[in-house]
């Protein structure tokens, strides 16, 4: 018994409650893609640039609560995280994806499923490539061009600045990225100098359609998609901010925030009730929860107005908190 507890503790130490990130292993040599990306660029890009994102990410999250969160969760809340975390988490995720979708093997083809989706959304692979290259060429300064699967199951081409990506709440188009093309100068300058368009033309020769097809299939049922969809529900997010600002202080018997903000709580509950519910959450349970949240918020506001006792307000707030989490958690399985 004692032995197994010792093992358990050492395992926890190894697999981490907290985690450190590391470089993913490359599936090919630095020179393997040299017809499109030269060996020196590959080596510097991987061992210096990507390694720096990994090191700086580990440094930025060390000792913070972000240390225990999956990287996807960090990115979903990019707007709320410090720049050092946002930039380096994005840098690590984006480059890991980039290496994975490249291959020296010729003639990789999209699966029938992905091929059909590309035809439906873009008419042809050539027009998809053209759109991607336009997005990449017109990205001012440093950034990425993306092929994204959205929560509505549409394929969309977009681009982001710096090391942002479409999982992040700062991205205009949101969804799971299937292809990401690095258009930072560090990705192409040695071979192509200022000719970004030539780099973009050449990179399609080393794109691994097999990996991208697998990413497409996985993205269709990835629970992350529902998190993104829910995260795009701005009225729910706004309501959540008030919940955080008022509910959490109650745990320390601090009633000032709720007494101050009960009117705002009621207003946001009203706005939330009238908002458009995302497709995958449109059912009776959500509707009932939103109605209940509105009623509770209205009651809480009235109680604050009447200057009722703290413990009465706290009890109602707890009920509101629980009801809120019925909406937040319902579809994350
Ligand atoms: Mn890069």
């Amino acid at each position: 018994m004692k032995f197994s507890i010792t093992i358990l503790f050492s395992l926890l130490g190894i697999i981490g409650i907290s985690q450190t990130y590391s470089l993913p292993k490359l599936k090919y040599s630095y020179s393997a893609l040299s017809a499109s990306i030269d060996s020196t660029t590959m080596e510097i890009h991987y061992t210096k640039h990507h390694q720096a994102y990994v090191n700086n990410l580990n440094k930025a999250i060390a000792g913070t609560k972000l240390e225990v969160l999956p990287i996807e969760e960090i990115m979903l809340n990019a707007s709320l995280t410090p720049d050092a975390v946002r930039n380096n988490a994005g840098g690590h995720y984006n480059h890991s994806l980039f290496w994975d979708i490249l291959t020296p093997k010729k003639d990789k083809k999209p699966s029938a499923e992905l091929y059909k989706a590309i035809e439906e959304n873009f008419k042809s692979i050539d027009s998809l490539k053209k759109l991607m290259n336009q997005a990449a060429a017109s990205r001012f300064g440093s950034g990425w061009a993306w092929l994204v699967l959205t929560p509505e199951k549409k394929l969309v081409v977009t681009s982001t600045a710096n090391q942002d990506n479409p999982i992040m709440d700062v991205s205009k188009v949101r969804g799971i990225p299937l292809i990401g093309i690095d258009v930072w100068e560090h990705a192409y300058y040695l071979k192509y100098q200022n000719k970004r368009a030539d780099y973009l033309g050449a990179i399609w020769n080393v794109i691994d359609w097999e990996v991208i097809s697998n990413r497409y299939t996985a993205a269709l049922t990835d629970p992350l998609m529902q998190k993104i969809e829910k995260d795009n529900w701005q009225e729910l997010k706004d309501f959540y901010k008030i919940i955080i600002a008022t509910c959490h202080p109650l745990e320390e018997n601090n009633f000032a925030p709720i007494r101050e903000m009960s009117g705002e709580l009621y207003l946001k509950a009203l706005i939330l009730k009238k908002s458009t519910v995302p497709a995958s959450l449109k059912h009776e349970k959500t509707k009932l929860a939103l109605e209940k949240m509105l009623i509770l918020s209205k009651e809480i506001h009235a109680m604050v107005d009447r200057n009722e006792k703290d413990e009465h307000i706290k009890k109602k707030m707890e009920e509101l908190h629980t009801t809120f989490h019925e909406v937040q958690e319902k579809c994350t399985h």
Side-chain angles (χ1 to χ4, degrees):
M1 186 63 180
K2 200 179 168 192
F3 182 60
S4 53
I5 286 173
T6 314
I7 290 181
L8 176 70
F9 274 103
S10 26
L11 274 177
L12 283 175
I14 294 163
I15 57 175
I17 300 279
S18 62
Q19 56 190 325
T20 46
Y21 293 97
S22 56
L23 277 183
K25 215 169 146 37
L26 279 188
K27 298 178 287 186
Y28 38 78
S29 69
Y30 298 136
S31 61
L33 312 174
S34 57
S36 299
I37 304 171
D38 63 281
S39 179
T40 312
T41 296
M42 274 302 298
E43 185 171 356
I44 295 174
H45 200 174
Y46 175 75
T47 63
K48 305 290 182 209
H49 291 279
H50 190 172
Q51 184 70 61
Y53 294 120
V54 168
N55 295 346
N56 291 331
L57 174 60
N58 287 331
K59 212 189 303 171
I61 62 171
T64 76
K65 60 180 185 199
L66 298 175
E67 216 172 8
V68 298
L69 281 186
I71 195 164
E72 284 82 4
E73 292 289 336
I74 293 178
M75 294 190 298
L76 284 170
N77 297 300
S79 67
L80 305 171
T81 58
D83 283 352
V85 177
R86 167 174 164 183
N87 292 336
N88 292 300
H92 177 46
Y93 180 91
N94 297 348
H95 286 89
S96 302
L97 164 62
F98 187 60
W99 311 132
D100 196 36
I101 61 161
L102 300 178
T103 180
K105 292 182 194 139
K106 299 283 169 223
D107 301 324
K108 295 266 184 140
K109 295 269 185 291
S111 65
E113 201 186 15
L114 177 60
Y115 191 81
K116 190 164 162 264
I118 290 173
E119 282 200 317
E120 277 169 15
N121 286 276
F122 307 105
K123 297 208 167 58
S124 69
I125 292 194
D126 279 345
S127 53
L128 162 65
K129 288 181 187 173
K130 213 172 138 192
L131 276 175
M132 286 283 290
N133 288 1
Q134 274 168 7
S138 58
R139 167 50 55 192
F140 184 76
S142 300
W144 290 75
W146 304 99
L147 174 65
V148 180
L149 182 69
T150 70
E152 296 76 31
K153 308 269 189 277
K154 284 191 66 146
L155 293 176
V156 177
V157 167
T158 191
S159 80
T160 55
N162 306 319
Q163 292 297 349
D164 290 348
N165 67 46
I167 296 172
M168 295 184 178
D169 62 351
V170 293
S171 177
K172 193 172 65 213
V173 173
R174 297 190 68 191
I176 295 181
L178 307 180
I179 302 178
I181 297 180
D182 189 344
V183 289
W184 283 57
E185 281 186 347
H186 69 222
Y188 63 86
Y189 202 82
L190 292 181
K191 188 175 171 81
Y192 298 97
Q193 291 85 46
N194 60 326
K195 297 181 285 273
R196 190 187 274 187
D198 290 357
Y199 157 70
L200 295 170
I203 199 151
W204 291 103
N205 299 329
V206 289
I207 285 285
D208 191 337
W209 284 105
E210 211 173 293
V211 169
I212 294 157
S213 300
N214 292 339
R215 287 186 63 83
Y216 174 68
T217 309
L220 285 170
T221 55
D222 192 330
L224 176 61
M225 197 64 105
Q226 213 152 34
K227 287 190 181 172
I228 293 171
E229 189 181 31
K230 213 181 281 182
D231 202 52
N232 261 346
W233 189 2
Q234 191 54 48
E235 293 86 353
L236 186 74
K237 273 186 118 174
D238 290 343
F239 189 76
Y240 189 33
K241 280 183 200 154
I242 305 280
I243 290 281
I244 291 171
T246 56
C247 259
H248 294 180
L250 291 185
E251 285 159 23
E252 281 131 34
N253 286 320
N254 176 7
F255 287 83
I258 184 57
R259 291 199 181 271
E260 175 84 11
M261 298 168 78
S262 68
E264 203 180 337
L265 178 79
Y266 176 32
L267 179 66
K268 296 287 193 225
L270 195 62
I271 293 171
L272 176 59
K273 172 71 180 54
K274 291 187 169 184
S275 68
T276 308
V277 179
S280 72
L281 293 165
K282 251 189 193 146
H283 26 69
E284 200 57 20
K285 206 179 156 193
T286 307
K287 203 178 146 221
L288 291 176
L290 293 186
E291 275 166 14
K292 195 173 170 192
M293 280 152 70
L294 179 56
I295 291 167
L296 288 168
S297 301
K298 190 180 178 181
E299 282 174 4
I300 290 162
H301 183 44
M303 288 165 87
V304 168
D305 248 9
R306 290 196 304 267
N307 204 13
E308 272 200 36
K309 280 186 191 155
D310 284 348
E311 58 263 36
H312 293 171
I313 292 174
K314 188 172 183 175
K315 215 176 148 207
K316 267 294 178 236
M317 284 295 287
E318 276 163 3
E319 207 182 329
L320 176 63
H321 193 221
T322 311
T323 314
F324 174 74
H325 279 301
E326 280 174 22
V327 179
Q328 267 285 340
E329 288 175 1
K330 183 147 44 70
C331 295
T332 48
H333 52 85

